[in-house]
């Protein structure tokens, strides 16, 4: 059984609050006893449940303890499986995920393929691994509580096949097939291989507070709770080993830092801060790793220290506080930083009780305007912890109780800052925008093609069908075939050279097709950049590298094929257009560029149907207490197409008034009425007012 190749990229000696990976097993100290004990239990019993509190290191124990030990002993072939949470639109179910993990050996021609070529069971995939020399299957299910977010029928089907996997004999369908009159002829040795016990092993890793959910598996797995292995926090001696031993490892080429040491005083100070008196002075590994990585990066890598003393550690409480601030500041987008800060400081901590709170992703989106992409980045930075919700989606909370205090301190600092007011904001929706708004900067008749309803339809269609296509069996089959073909081509130097030449030719043609389209849309004035592009075209044509294409349909098909299939050329073209922003000097003036940027910005919000949703997003991008002067837009007189009735200026103003009267916005939102003067002329009754006692009142 082959072992995986080590990852040679440099890394810190401590992983921080990310779980240890298998490649980091050489720095995984303090869990030797637990690793050996769990491995012995796996050898003795088919099904083991590993449970412990969140943050105690269950994932690390599997990744950096059990898997490397399996590779060393060469008895089990470990396969790590994580389901992820289920949500509406997810088509890949539990069995699909597990089979995909096992499928790397399933395509090999074995006696299973001869007997029942159409069998797609979990047992068949696991048996194929055994027959191919991959060892006894050991399925390691990490964060198994995610299973309970999937539809009940999917969970039932998975449990049934899991029970078949643990059965002592092959499935009855295989034994009956052997006895059939038309069964393929197998040798005695092949029959012995088929009937040999699979002896599969399963480890289920689950949070202790979700352990009770495993009782739902008792119908197919009645012994699921018979063999429990509890992972507790680190004992003091093990915590000291986890601190000291990684620092002394000699391979400086593998790590960002050379070997260094901890003085007894530094180690004593660390332990005094980390130990939990209410839990036998044990140490939570996630907090230990976070502080150790911080000190390694700040003191050893940046300051060049070779030994850490107690004075070098500074205030360890401040390290946790700095961790919060640094992770927030790592968000390059200012709006995202404010949104994340507002979510954490207003939604995920209770100020009086100083405790963590948990919110579902749907509630976070609605109340704070923070979507899943930003939540994922906060989880990756380990500021937040995501937990699967039993009815779908995730709930989010702070990654550690120690972060509550620094979060509240930063919140108090922000409260002392004076509020700001954004004096020019818009929250109108796509319904309020004329369909042919691009006519202000796009040459006729192309603004009829680049219209708002078409963009809206394209975005909504992709949201509806994109994932279904992406995860369909047919698409995955095509991708696998494409990948295998690419591998074969790369192995033959002549074919590889031919492929590179074809990609280069296609890149040149697609680049000039896109250039021609942009030229046609904008009708640019003469410029040095434009002249250079035309001269280069003539030179390429003279070398028979660039050929004229006089069919618009062929151009469109070539561009689509290129963008979807040829990653190398696609990245090159995107890189060129990204870096040549001066190319837009071809456009007629800076005003046109500004209009394009505004149109793109508007396109980000075309899927929002109500102004209050955009207002929620807007508010989330600013510090708490910010005020907003909101300008409605009267665009009915732009001669850019007719608005739908629900997009009329009157309807826009009515909804804006409802948003203003909402308790969340009434004190921070200040509508500023903007009206096209032509409306006042065409509708004399629109703008009526009275003036009494020096006060103007609108009717």
């Amino acid at each position: 059984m082959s072992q995986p190749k080590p990852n040679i990229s440099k890394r810190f000696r401590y992983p921080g609050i990310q779980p240890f990976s298998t490649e980091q097993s050489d720095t995984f100290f303090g869990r030797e006893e637990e690793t050996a004990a769990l491995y012995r239990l796996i050898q003795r019993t088919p099904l083991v449940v590993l449970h412990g509190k969140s943050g105690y290191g269950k994932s690390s124990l599997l990744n950096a303890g059990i898997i490397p030990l399996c590779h060393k002993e060469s008895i089990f072939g470990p396969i790590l499986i994580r389901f992820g949470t289920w949500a509406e639109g997810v088509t890949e179910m539990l069995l699909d995920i597990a089979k995909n993990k096992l499928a790397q050996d399933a395509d090999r021609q074995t006696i299973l393929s001869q007997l029942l070529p159409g069998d797609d069971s979990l047992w068949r995939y696991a048996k194929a691994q055994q027959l191919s020399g991959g060892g006894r299957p050991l399925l390691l299910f990490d964060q198994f509580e995610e299973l309970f977010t999937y539809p009940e029928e999917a969970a039932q089907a998975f449990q049934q096949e899991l029970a078949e996997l643990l059965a002592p004999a092959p499935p009855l369908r295989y034994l009956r097939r052997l006895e059939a009159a038309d069964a393929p002829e197998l040798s005695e040795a092949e029959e012995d291989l088929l009937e040999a016990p699979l002896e599969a092993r399963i480890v289920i890793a689950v949070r202790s507070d979700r352990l009770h959910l495993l009782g739902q598996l008792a119908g197919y797995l009645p012994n699921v709770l018979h063999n429990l292995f509890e992972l507790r926090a680190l004992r003091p001696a093990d915590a000291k080993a986890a601190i000291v031993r990684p620092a002394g490892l000699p391979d400086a080429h593998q790590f960002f830092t050379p070997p260094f040491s901890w003085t007894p005083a530094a180690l004593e100070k660390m332990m005094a801060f980390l130990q939990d008196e209410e839990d036998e002075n044990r140490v939570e590994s996630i907090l230990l790793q976070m502080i150790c990585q911080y000190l390694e990066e700040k003191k050893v890598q940046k300051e060049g220290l070779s030994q850490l003393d107690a004075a070098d550690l500074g205030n360890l409480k401040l390290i946790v506080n700095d961790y919060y601030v640094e992770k927030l500041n790592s968000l390059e987008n200012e709006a995202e930083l404010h949104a994340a800060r507002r979510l954490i400081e207003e939604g995920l901590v209770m100020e009086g009780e100083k405790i963590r709170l948990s919110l579902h992703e749907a509630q976070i989106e609605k109340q704070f305007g923070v979507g899943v992409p930003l939540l994922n980045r906060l989880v990756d930075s380990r500021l937040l912890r995501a937990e699967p919700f039993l009815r779908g989606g995730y709930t989010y909370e702070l990654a550690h109780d120690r972060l509550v205090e620094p979060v509240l301190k930063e919140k108090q600092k922000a409260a002392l800052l004076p509020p700001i007011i954004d004096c020019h904001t818009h929250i109108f929706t796509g319904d309020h925008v004329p369909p042919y708004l691009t006519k202000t900067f796009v040459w006729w008749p192309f603004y009829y093609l680049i219209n708002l309803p078409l963009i809206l339809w394209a975005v909504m269609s992709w949201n509806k069908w994109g994932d279904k296509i992406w995860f369909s069996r047919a698409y995955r089959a095509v991708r696998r075939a494409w990948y295998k073909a690419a591998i074969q081509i790369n192995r033959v130097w002549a074919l590889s050279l031919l492929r590179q030449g074809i990609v280069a030719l296609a890149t040149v043609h697609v680049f000039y097709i896109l250039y021609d389209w942009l030229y046609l849309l904008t009708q640019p004035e003469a410029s040095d950049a434009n002249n250079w592009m035309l001269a280069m075209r003539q030179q390429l044509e003279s070398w028979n590298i660039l050929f004229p294409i006089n069919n618009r349909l062929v151009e469109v098909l070539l561009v689509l094929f290129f963008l979807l299939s040829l990653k190398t050329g696609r990245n090159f073209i995107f890189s060129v257009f990204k870096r040549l922003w001066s190319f837009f000097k071809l456009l007629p003036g800076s005003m046109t560029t500004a209009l394009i940027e505004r149109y793109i910005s508007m396109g980000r919000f075309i899927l929002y149907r109500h102004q209050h949703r955009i207002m929620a997003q807007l508010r989330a991008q600013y510090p708490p207490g910010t005020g907003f002067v909101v300008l409605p837009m009267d665009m009915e007189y732009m001669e850019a197409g007719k608005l739908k009735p629900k997009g009329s200026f009157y309807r826009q103003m009515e909804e804006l008034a409802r948003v203003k009267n909402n308790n969340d916005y009434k004190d921070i939102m200040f509508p500023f009425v903007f009206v096209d003067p032509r409306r006042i002329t065409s509708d004399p009754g629109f703008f009526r007012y009275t003036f009494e006692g020096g006060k103007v009142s609108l009717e």
Side-chain angles (χ1 to χ4, degrees):
M1 181 168 36
S2 62
Q3 297 188 19
K5 295 180 180 179
N7 188 345
I8 61 173
S9 60
K10 284 195 173 184
R11 52 191 168 92
F12 287 107
R13 297 167 181 267
Y14 307 92
I17 52 180
Q18 296 283 356
F20 279 85
S21 66
T22 301
E23 291 76 17
Q24 294 171 314
S25 61
D26 56 341
T27 59
F28 184 61
F29 295 105
R31 289 297 193 188
E32 292 82 2
E33 184 176 326
E34 287 85 352
T35 300
L38 179 56
Y39 186 79
R40 288 195 299 269
L41 187 58
I42 292 170
Q43 287 180 303
R44 293 197 306 267
T45 183
L47 177 59
V48 177
V49 173
L50 168 65
H51 69 99
K53 290 184 179 180
S54 183
Y56 276 13
K58 298 183 295 297
S59 299
S60 296
L61 184 63
L62 295 179
N63 292 336
I66 294 300
I67 292 178
L69 184 55
C70 288
H71 291 150
K72 177 182 177 182
E73 298 295 331
S74 298
I75 298 174
F76 297 105
I79 300 133
L80 187 67
I81 300 172
R82 168 100 186 261
F83 295 127
T85 191
W86 181 83
E88 289 290 341
V90 173
T91 58
E92 193 174 35
M93 292 296 158
L94 299 163
L95 280 173
D96 298 323
I97 297 169
K99 290 173 186 176
N100 286 340
K101 285 289 186 178
L102 285 160
Q104 55 189 356
D105 293 319
D107 290 334
R108 300 182 182 179
Q109 293 299 316
T110 65
I111 54 177
L112 303 175
S113 305
Q114 301 176 46
L115 285 172
L116 290 174
D119 186 39
D120 192 44
S121 65
L122 197 61
W123 185 90
R124 186 260 184 187
Y125 285 89
K127 187 68 175 180
Q129 173 180 309
Q130 184 192 48
L131 294 176
S132 62
R136 291 163 57 185
L138 170 59
L139 277 60
L140 305 169
F141 292 100
D142 196 12
Q143 300 195 32
F144 193 76
E145 57 268 19
E146 294 172 337
L147 174 139
F148 300 99
T149 67
Y150 283 76
E152 184 177 354
E153 59 273 16
Q156 291 285 339
F158 176 76
Q159 294 171 46
Q160 185 175 359
E161 294 211 13
L162 208 60
E164 182 180 76
L165 192 69
L166 294 176
L172 187 58
R173 59 185 176 276
Y174 278 94
L175 299 179
R176 286 177 175 173
R177 179 60 179 150
L178 275 176
E179 298 172 357
D182 60 342
E185 186 174 345
L186 300 181
S187 66
E188 184 176 346
E190 289 175 329
E191 289 190 14
D192 290 342
L193 286 173
L194 177 65
E195 295 177 357
L198 182 59
E199 294 185 303
R201 294 293 187 263
I202 293 173
V203 176
I204 291 174
V206 65
R207 280 175 46 171
S208 292
D209 59 354
R210 300 295 176 91
L211 186 62
H212 65 282
L213 295 173
L214 298 185
Q216 300 178 28
L217 308 181
Y220 290 98
L221 302 169
N223 300 327
V224 64
L225 294 175
H226 284 199
N227 295 285
L228 303 180
F229 187 95
E230 182 182 9
L231 185 66
R232 298 184 61 189
L234 289 163
R235 291 178 291 271
D238 294 328
K240 291 179 181 179
I243 294 172
V244 174
R245 294 184 64 183
L249 292 175
D251 188 0
H253 297 291
Q254 187 178 357
F255 303 109
F256 288 123
T257 58
F260 63 96
S261 61
W262 301 73
T263 66
L267 187 59
E268 182 180 355
K269 183 175 181 178
M270 280 283 291
M271 293 298 296
F273 178 75
L274 293 171
Q275 287 177 317
D276 184 355
E277 295 180 357
E278 297 180 0
D279 188 21
E280 304 174 0
N281 284 328
R282 289 177 179 261
V283 172
E284 188 172 350
S285 57
I286 189 174
L287 185 61
L288 180 152
Q289 294 295 333
M290 181 186 76
I291 294 176
C292 285
Q293 188 195 75
Y294 179 92
L295 293 170
E296 179 189 4
E297 180 181 359
K298 299 294 182 181
K299 298 297 181 179
V300 181
Q301 184 186 35
K302 294 185 177 179
E303 296 183 18
L305 298 183
S306 60
Q307 185 179 67
L308 295 181
D309 200 357
D312 299 319
L313 272 54
N315 189 333
L316 294 176
K317 287 185 177 180
L318 290 181
I319 291 179
V320 181
N321 182 70
D322 290 345
Y323 180 86
Y324 170 62
V325 175
E326 284 189 8
K327 293 300 181 183
L328 274 183
N329 290 335
S330 67
L331 298 173
E332 297 179 357
N333 187 296
E334 192 76 15
E336 289 184 344
L337 188 152
H338 289 304
R341 184 165 187 164
R342 179 169 172 263
L343 165 64
I344 294 171
E345 296 176 8
E346 295 186 22
L348 298 182
V349 292
M350 182 177 288
E351 193 161 359
E353 303 294 331
K354 295 185 177 181
I355 60 175
R356 291 183 290 172
L357 300 177
S358 178
L359 291 178
H360 189 270
E361 60 186 45
Q363 187 178 0
I364 292 173
E365 169 77 21
K366 180 178 180 180
Q367 187 173 348
F368 297 97
V370 176
V372 172
L374 179 54
L375 288 172
N376 287 340
R377 290 205 294 278
L378 294 173
V379 170
D380 290 340
S381 70
R382 302 317 286 271
L383 268 181
L384 300 186
R385 174 184 295 163
E387 299 295 342
F389 188 61
L390 295 184
R391 291 193 294 274
Y394 278 97
T395 59
Y396 293 84
E397 63 182 7
L398 277 177
H400 199 280
D401 287 326
R402 295 290 184 108
L403 289 173
V404 173
E405 186 175 346
V407 166
L408 291 176
K409 286 184 178 179
E410 289 301 311
K411 182 179 180 180
Q412 292 169 1
K413 289 181 183 178
L416 300 176
L417 299 175
I420 62 175
I421 295 181
D422 188 329
C423 296
H424 190 133
T425 58
H426 301 290
I427 62 172
F428 57 83
T429 70
D431 291 331
H432 307 131
V433 180
Y436 309 122
L437 184 65
T438 52
K439 72 177 296 183
T440 56
F441 59 86
V442 174
W443 184 50
W444 179 91
F446 291 98
Y447 57 77
Y448 287 109
L449 300 176
I450 311 176
N451 64 78
L452 197 64
L454 179 61
I455 295 174
L456 185 61
W457 172 84
V459 173
M460 294 182 68
S461 297
W462 177 253
N463 287 342
K464 181 178 180 180
W465 299 104
D467 287 343
K468 294 182 180 179
I469 296 173
W470 191 263
F471 294 106
S472 67
R473 291 182 181 273
Y475 179 80
R476 285 185 291 173
V478 171
R479 292 295 301 175
R480 282 196 297 269
W482 183 275
Y483 180 70
K484 290 179 180 178
I487 291 177
Q488 294 300 322
I489 291 174
N490 288 334
R491 288 175 176 173
V492 181
W493 70 269
L495 292 177
S496 178
L497 186 62
L498 178 62
R499 182 186 65 84
Q500 293 174 18
I502 293 174
V503 170
L505 282 175
T507 301
V508 171
H509 282 78
V510 170
F511 180 86
Y512 272 100
I513 289 173
L514 295 176
Y515 172 81
D516 289 342
W517 290 355
L518 188 60
Y519 186 95
L520 192 61
L521 287 172
T522 59
Q523 290 293 292
E525 300 172 356
S527 67
D528 292 339
N530 191 30
N531 293 336
W532 183 85
M533 294 290 291
L534 293 176
M536 179 59 69
R537 174 198 288 263
Q538 293 173 358
Q539 189 64 59
L540 292 172
E541 289 177 347
S542 68
W543 291 340
N544 292 322
I545 294 177
L546 182 64
F547 303 97
I549 301 175
N550 299 319
N551 188 302
R552 190 70 69 193
L553 177 60
V554 173
E555 289 183 343
V556 171
L557 293 176
L558 178 59
V559 170
L560 289 177
F561 175 79
F562 181 86
L563 296 180
L564 293 175
S565 304
L566 302 179
K567 182 178 180 181
T568 304
R570 178 176 68 236
N571 291 343
F572 171 76
I573 285 186
F574 286 167
S575 175
V576 169
F577 277 105
K578 182 178 179 180
R579 285 168 173 76
L580 293 180
W581 179 248
S582 59
F583 181 77
F584 285 97
K585 292 179 180 179
L586 300 174
L587 299 174
S590 60
M591 183 178 295
T592 300
T593 305
L595 284 171
I596 291 177
E597 291 174 344
R598 174 172 292 189
Y599 193 74
I600 293 172
S601 179
M602 287 167 52
R604 295 173 55 204
F605 298 96
I606 60 176
L607 291 180
Y608 291 96
R609 290 303 191 187
H610 302 285
Q611 296 182 67
H612 69 85
R613 292 286 308 279
I614 301 178
M615 186 64 198
Q617 292 276 5
L618 181 66
R619 181 187 181 190
Q621 296 178 12
Y622 285 81
T626 300
F628 303 93
V629 177
V630 179
L631 283 73
M633 291 297 292
D634 187 1
M635 292 183 274
E636 293 185 37
Y637 294 87
M638 295 180 63
E639 299 179 358
K642 188 176 181 180
L643 292 172
K644 297 178 181 179
K646 62 180 179 180
S648 69
F649 185 66
Y650 293 94
R651 295 279 186 89
Q652 183 185 172
M653 297 294 289
E654 289 172 359
E655 186 181 359
L656 187 61
R658 289 195 296 271
V659 177
K660 166 65 179 175
N661 291 329
N662 187 293
N663 290 333
D664 291 335
Y665 306 121
K666 64 181 182 180
D667 296 327
I668 62 171
M669 179 177 168
F670 313 103
F672 182 92
V673 178
F674 169 84
V675 182
D676 193 307
R678 289 170 287 189
R679 180 177 296 280
I680 300 175
T681 303
S682 62
D683 186 3
F686 173 78
F687 192 63
R688 295 194 300 269
Y689 64 93
T690 58
F691 181 76
E692 295 181 4
K695 182 179 179 180
V696 176
S697 299
L698 296 176
E699 296 182 1

